[in-house]
Amino acid sequence: MTDHDPAPPPGIEIPSAAVEAVRDAEWVTVFTGAGMSAESGLATFRDTDTGLWEQYDPMALATPQAWHDDPALVWAWYQWRARKVLAAQPNAGHRALADLAADRAVMVVTQNVDDLHERAGSDVISHLHGSLFAPRCSHCGHPYHGTDADPTDAVEQLRVEPPTCPICLSTVRPGVVWFGEPLPADQWSSAEKAFAASDVVIVVGTSGIVRPAAGLPERAADAGIGVIEFNPEPSALTRYATHSIRTSAAVGLPALLAAVRQG
Ligand code: APR
């Protein structure tokens, strides 16, 4: 924990075997989902958004079909989400993961498209589902760095025309993976390598229902690697967890860090 983080609340008991597994680990892979960012004020993926977008189903907007039907609507939605991330701060869970890396390799493999792990100081080796801050040309794939992709400029509008690629003049698209699209090969390969090299895997804030990403902790468990889950609710990965701790990211991870440091 950084100095300004309060001590974790009493009563969160991390099983001693889980603490020892992390304390003794040289390589830790942390697999995170939307619940990791919930205490930063960002809705989990399956919550419904409020306000301007409450009438839209996020699951319907994050699809190639939605992009084909109305690129300006989909672009505006991702710019709105990016603006919300920019207004958010990493929470005590993000910071605890960054601090955990002081004494061991901590490799973050995230399903999240926000940049809160990076802003907390973690080494994110894979954004399996892309990033809100990596728009690219929908045709030539060239990364787009133009200022009209800057979410701080977009206002609360239901439609914003996406920018045009300066290389091939095609439409620039959000840098996220939509349902039905393949995961970026380089991100998948980095994630597989991290899991394979792990002494222990920590899973935080994911329902564990979206494949192939959710298959990675399962494969680790099948290989005999310890899996420690932090989630207020059971998930589809709970059955693969050596320890499943019913607490939130911003409470459980600082408690884990404090216990690891006490040893
Ligand atoms: N701390 C930890 N976990 C939390 C918290 C919290 N404060 N709040 C909620 N959770 C848990 C929920 O119990 C749930 O299990 O976070 C999980 C969020 O699940 P989803 O909303 O399904 O998000 P996620 O698992 O990341 O979805 C995976 O599916 O929708 C696609 O591409 C999208 O990356 C996303 C993927």
Side-chain angles (χ1 to χ4, degrees), residues 82-102:
R83 233 179 4 267
K84 287 185 72 171
V85 169
L86 290 177
Q89 294 302 323
N91 60 54
H94 293 105
R95 292 194 294 271
L97 289 179
D99 292 342
L100 197 63

Side-chain angles (χ1 to χ4, degrees), residues 195-196 198 201 211 214-227 236-242:
F195 273 87
S198 301
V201 169
R211 304 262 156 169
L216 289 165
E218 176 186 343
R219 197 192 299 180
D222 290 346
I225 297 170
V227 175
L237 292 176
T238 300
R239 57 190 295 199
Y240 305 108
T242 321

Side-chain angles (χ1 to χ4, degrees), residues 33-35 39 44-46 111 129 179 205-207 210 231-232 248-249:
E39 283 148 299
T44 62
F45 206 87
R46 286 165 176 77
Q111 301 171 95
H129 294 160
F179 287 108
T206 181
S207 55
V210 172
N231 194 325
S248 73

Side-chain angles (χ1 to χ4, degrees), residues 191-202:
E192 281 192 310
K193 288 180 184 138
F195 273 87
S198 301
D199 298 310
V200 68
V201 169
I202 299 174

